[in-house]
Amino acid sequence: MGERLSGGGRMSANATELLLLAESIAREAGALLREAFRGPELRISAKSTPTDLVSEADHAAEHLIRERITATRPDDAVLGEEGGDTKGTSGIRWVVDPLDGTINFLFGVPQWAVSIAAEDSEGALVGVVYDPERDELFSATRGGQATLDGHPIKASTKTDMATALIGTGFGYDSEVRRAQAAVVARLLPEVRDIRRFGAAAIDLAWTACGRLDAYYEHGLNAWDLAAGGLICECAGLEVRHVDPIGPSNPGVIVGPPTLVDALARALV
Ligand code: IPD
Ligand code: CA
Ligand code: CA
């Protein structure tokens, strides 16, 4: 099997092909979404709670992504936020959030992304987060270095909580939010500041490139985390899965190990 060097690591031919496919599909879906972002009002509906919205743009982007994957790799499985779980036989499963940051998108806030990962039996193999409004493409292949627009990125190495800039996010269920708010109330006096930008995939990508020192959130879904989590790991960060708080689903903390330890203590 041929190999190429990427961001300091060797990539198998299969991983290279998957990464190139993920990048090109993410850019194409991003272009479709950018048109919709600038266009007339979209049809929307509520999902799990009245605050959890989905639009025709989410569906159109996922439809495009699925079509492109299936056209090139018909035997792969696909898990997408809006289209569910399609089984495959190749051992590769794509994990897709076609539009991460839907609420920002619908309110005209330019902070949303396309997140595409491909997994094999060992977990995430390639991951791509594309931010169309900034035209920034974050990518990683397991065992390689994380990149932004092809250039290796550098994550924070901070150890001091008091000067750390922390990203987080909140779920759509109000009881979960009550528990998340209690954590923020405890944490805020202990850190430089907390950011809630509203798109988990970008939060992860920004942590990977040092725009945030660390990030945590409870209740993320596989499609929120698959690509961004790999990008963070490949940027040398720890990605730690932690217990639920209150009625939430389990959480994740991402950052340099000392900050992850400190955050894990602060979350309970
Ligand atoms: C949401 C965003 C948000 C995070 C939520 C996610 P969606 O994804 O990433 O930042 O706090 O947990 O569900 O619904 O916009 O794809
Ligand atoms: Ca999402
Ligand atoms: Ca989404």
Side-chain angles (χ1 to χ4, degrees):
M1 196 179 270
E3 288 182 317
R4 79 164 184 174
L5 277 176
S6 169
R10 285 195 182 281
M11 287 205 285
S12 73
N14 194 33
T16 308
E17 281 159 24
L18 293 173
L19 184 68
L20 292 176
L21 181 60
E23 289 178 343
S24 107
I25 296 175
R27 282 189 188 281
E28 201 185 343
L32 177 153
L33 287 167
R34 208 184 299 121
E35 290 279 300
F37 189 64
R38 311 230 179 300
E41 222 166 272
L42 293 158
R43 273 193 306 274
I44 57 172
S45 51
K47 291 203 293 186
S48 62
T49 72
T51 49
D52 181 9
L53 302 179
V54 64
S55 73
E56 57 190 299
D58 298 66
H59 287 291
E62 178 148 341
H63 182 74
L64 180 146
I65 293 167
R66 281 176 182 270
E67 248 184 18
R68 296 295 181 268
I69 291 171
T70 312
T72 316
R73 301 186 52 94
D75 300 329
D76 291 356
V78 183
L79 171 67
E81 178 171 14
E82 312 305 340
D85 205 351
T86 306
K87 302 273 175 265
T89 53
S90 66
I92 296 293
R93 179 173 82 151
W94 296 82
V95 183
V96 175
D97 191 340
L99 170 47
D100 182 54
T102 291
I103 302 300
N104 284 342
F105 187 93
L106 294 174
F107 277 74
V109 177
Q111 184 80 3
W112 47 271
V114 179
S115 176
I116 301 179
E119 301 175 338
D120 63 10
S121 57
E122 290 166 44
L125 176 59
V126 305
V128 169
V129 173
Y130 180 53
D131 171 351
E133 286 298 307
R134 295 181 184 80
D135 191 21
E136 288 190 328
L137 183 75
F138 295 86
S139 308
T141 302
R142 192 171 62 220
Q145 239 180 357
T147 60
L148 166 54
D149 295 333
H151 304 290
I153 50 182
K154 227 171 118 12
S156 169
T157 53
K158 192 162 286 172
T159 54
D160 172 33
M161 279 280 270
T163 56
L165 186 62
I166 308 294
T168 191
F170 308 125
Y172 289 116
D173 177 274
S174 82
E175 285 312 310
V176 171
R177 286 178 171 199
R178 204 178 302 283
Q180 290 174 318
V183 170
V184 169
R186 283 201 306 276
L187 195 58
L188 190 54
E190 311 298 329
V191 297
R192 181 190 298 276
D193 212 339
I194 294 182
R195 297 286 182 266
R196 195 294 195 246
F197 291 123
I202 298 185
D203 294 335
L204 288 160
W206 283 16
T207 307
C209 72
R211 293 176 190 167
L212 293 167
D213 290 308
Y215 162 79
Y216 75 91
E217 184 164 349
H218 285 82
L220 289 181
N221 289 295
W223 46 78
D224 297 309
L225 186 59
L230 179 68
I231 292 167
C232 286
E233 272 170 11
C234 292
L237 295 175
E238 179 177 351
V239 177
R240 189 183 298 178
H241 296 271
V242 292
D243 290 339
I245 45 163
S248 84
N249 285 325
V252 68
I253 307 174
V254 178
T258 314
L259 282 189
V260 172
D261 283 341
L263 279 170
R265 283 193 298 273
L267 295 194
V268 289

